[in-house]
Amino acid sequence: MEYFILFSPLLGALIAGFFGNKIGDKASEIITSLFTTVSALLSIIVFYNVLSEGYENNLILFKWIYSGTLEVNWSIKIDALSSIMLVVVTFVSSLVHIYSIGYMSHDPNKPRFMCYLSLFTFSMLALVTADNFIQLFFGWEGVGLCSYLLIGFWFKKETANNAAIKAFLVNRVGDFGLALGIFLIFYYFGTVNFDAVFQQIQQIDTTSIIFLGFNFNAVDLICLLLFIGAMGKSAQIFLHTWLPDAMEGPTPVSALIHAATMVTAGIFLVVRCSPIYEYSELVLSIITIIGMTTAIFAASVALVQDDIKKIIAYSTCSQLGYMFFAAGVGAYNVAMFHLFTHAFFKALLFLGSGSVIHSFKNEQNINNMGGVWKNLPVTYAFMIIGTLALTGFPFLSGFYSKDAIIEFAYLRGNTVGYYAAGIGIFTALLTSIYSWRLIFKTFHGAYQNKDLKIEEMHESPISMLVPLFILSIGAIGAGFLFKEIFIGYESSNIFWGNSIMFLEPLSTDHPPSWFIILTPILVVISIPFSYLIFIKNKDFLKNLVLINQPLYKFLKNKWYFDEMYNLLFVRSFKYIGKFFWKQIDGSIIDKFGPDGISNFIKYLSNKAIKFQNGFVYQYAFVMLIGFSILLTLLIVK
């Protein structure tokens, strides 16, 4: 069964990729969707076995790398952590495949697109079922490659190509950190297998290492380098700039990247390596700070974005920040709980936005929408459900997981924990405001589109709406159904077993009542407040923007990260490259090298030509000089 889970998407990708033109578009779509759906159904069975029987297994497929002390197998590791990721990845991917049949109906390259989706799914499955860092790195690079192919799928668009290259390059920075971390692990432990590394971690707890001229604790450095890799994949602040631009790909790609696959890999890595991180309080504090900073950064930027997909993209960035600061305070199970619930409502929001874009004939600016909730009632209902879940509205999935993160941060009892809890509450308020801004400007108010008559608006096809319906069920009930299993004080330890090491409740106490109800109250109050400022009284918002113009520009330009990186890296390296090209390569190497030699030969040739004038006495004179030179050389020797 585990073999089918892993290799069904790969088989679908191979069929669609190599034989798609022969079997046709429809067959490619059906085959890839069917194989991914089979993988999803089998993953649910595996998850049920883990849940009910504590099932664990490690299937060795073959010996992969055996060199000296390095022994690496290709395996399928099944435990509580990997079973959750299997369900999240395959379930969302199967719905995205089905959704793509309708969304990509007018695209001429459907087999290629379906091939990329299935290959992306396989790469993520290889990552989460790894029992060693090398196989994990293979899947890690696989999802990076597939993201490049999918983001740049419409390669005739310059913006899509630029976005794909940007995602690839930014992730290389993080991947370099991950690779260094893996090298250090092998250097200290002599193995890259998870279990063997985790068992030996205590032996190097006090070991020091000099890195870049600084003295580090070896465990701290390993954890920091692994986290840099996680920052790149999960788009944490400083390595986040690729994520909004990734919206240049088709909407199903956005849903798959943001909800189930690539961006969740960083969270998975940190949680899988929790036995290592438990020995590094320093890096856990860094993770908490980076997570909370990312959460508030992305939420503040989302407030002023106008592209419907970019708003949801920054929302993903913000929610990942929540997951990281949950892991940073030691609540690894809560981080995974939020990852699980987030997959449902974030995929719902992305696919719902795709339905809106489809109905508006590829329009993505929410300022050019409005007043269509009666024309798109089904899409509107699903978007409302996704928004309520995202904002943490009481008793929906996001309410249980997001509030649990804030509460566990508070129960940490230290300065970083209190700070993270405060940031989490404020970010929840911002999340609610920008989420309802999207809803109200998209579906309410006056109709703003000048290129499309409102009478022409229609619902998306059934192949796009069925996945929305299924995801909406998860967005409503996943939190309530799995809260006790994932984060309950007693049952969670039974469920997680050894897949999350050192899993201990932060406290058996509860936060004060006022703290527990504060976030839900702010979330509920923000709904009428958002309707007031975005629909009823727009002048208030305009005046607010005018008064705070510098702040508005700061947020509109995404805290000027792109401009800063352009100045520090792009322009500076371009200048350095131009200097070496013109001054070093051109003026020195070429001038005195190949160009200089060729010019010198040409000069001698031009002089020699003058002796070739047809007069016999000049030929005789040249021969005499040559003979004299030759004779002189022979005598000297």
Side-chain angles (χ1 to χ4, degrees), residues 29 33 92-105 113-114 117 250-253 255 347-359 379 460-469 471:
E29 292 171 337
S33 299
V92 173
S93 179
S94 63
L95 295 178
V96 168
H97 276 74
I98 296 169
Y99 179 92
S100 299
I101 296 174
Y103 190 87
M104 302 294 288
S105 59
F113 182 75
M114 303 304 285
L117 285 183
T251 300
V253 174
L348 177 60
L349 285 171
F350 264 115
L351 297 185
S353 70
S355 180
V356 172
I357 295 168
H358 180 81
S359 300
T379 299
S460 300
I462 192 70
S463 62
M464 294 172 64
L465 295 179
V466 169
L468 294 179
F469 172 73
L471 288 169

Side-chain angles (χ1 to χ4, degrees), residues 314-345:
Y314 277 110
S315 170
T316 299
C317 194
S318 182
Q319 298 304 306
L320 290 166
Y322 272 105
M323 298 176 207
F324 271 111
F325 83 65
V329 298
Y332 305 105
N333 55 338
V334 185
M336 288 303 301
F337 183 39
H338 194 51
L339 184 152
F340 182 75
T341 61
H342 175 265
F344 292 103
F345 58 73

Side-chain angles (χ1 to χ4, degrees), residues 162-182:
N162 292 339
I165 293 171
K166 186 175 183 179
F168 196 78
L169 290 178
V170 173
N171 273 276
R172 296 288 70 71
V173 177
D175 295 354
F176 183 63
L178 176 61
L180 289 179
I182 295 173

Side-chain angles (χ1 to χ4, degrees), residues 264-453:
T264 62
I267 303 294
F268 172 81
L269 174 64
V270 172
V271 175
R272 174 61 82 191
C273 296
S274 57
I276 305 177
Y277 279 98
E278 282 295 309
Y279 284 91
S280 179
E281 286 293 330
L282 172 64
V283 178
L284 285 177
S285 296
I286 292 173
I287 293 174
T288 305
I289 293 169
I290 291 292
M292 71 175 80
T293 306
T294 304
I296 195 167
F297 153 73
S300 65
V301 172
L303 287 170
V304 297
Q305 297 301 305
D306 296 322
D307 187 306
I308 187 172
K309 288 171 65 177
K310 285 191 176 182
I311 295 172
I312 304 175
Y314 277 110
S315 170
T316 299
C317 194
S318 182
Q319 298 304 306
L320 290 166
Y322 272 105
M323 298 176 207
F324 271 111
F325 83 65
V329 298
Y332 305 105
N333 55 338
V334 185
M336 288 303 301
F337 183 39
H338 194 51
L339 184 152
F340 182 75
T341 61
H342 175 265
F344 292 103
F345 58 73
K346 188 50 57 71
L348 177 60
L349 285 171
F350 264 115
L351 297 185
S353 70
S355 180
V356 172
I357 295 168
H358 180 81
S359 300
F360 272 98
K361 308 296 183 184
N362 297 321
E363 177 60 66
Q364 294 184 199
N365 192 324
I366 60 175
N367 293 319
N368 296 328
M369 300 179 185
V372 296
W373 70 274
K374 292 183 179 178
N375 302 78
L376 308 174
V378 180
T379 299
Y380 174 66
F382 290 141
M383 288 289 284
I384 289 289
I385 293 172
T387 299
L388 290 171
L390 169 64
T391 59
F393 193 83
F395 310 117
L396 272 73
S397 59
F399 166 75
Y400 294 99
S401 58
K402 186 190 292 185
D403 281 26
I405 291 175
I406 297 171
E407 291 173 19
F408 271 72
Y410 178 87
L411 291 173
R412 184 69 175 179
N414 57 16
T415 303
V416 174
Y418 290 138
Y419 183 55
I423 292 293
I425 293 171
F426 184 62
T427 302
L429 176 62
L430 296 182
T431 301
S432 188
I433 293 174
Y434 71 68
S435 298
W436 288 107
R437 172 178 177 263
L438 183 151
I439 291 294
F440 291 139
K441 290 182 76 70
T442 301
F443 294 100
H444 291 271
Y447 184 72
Q448 302 290 339
N449 196 294
K450 298 179 181 179
D451 300 324
L452 187 68
K453 294 181 180 179

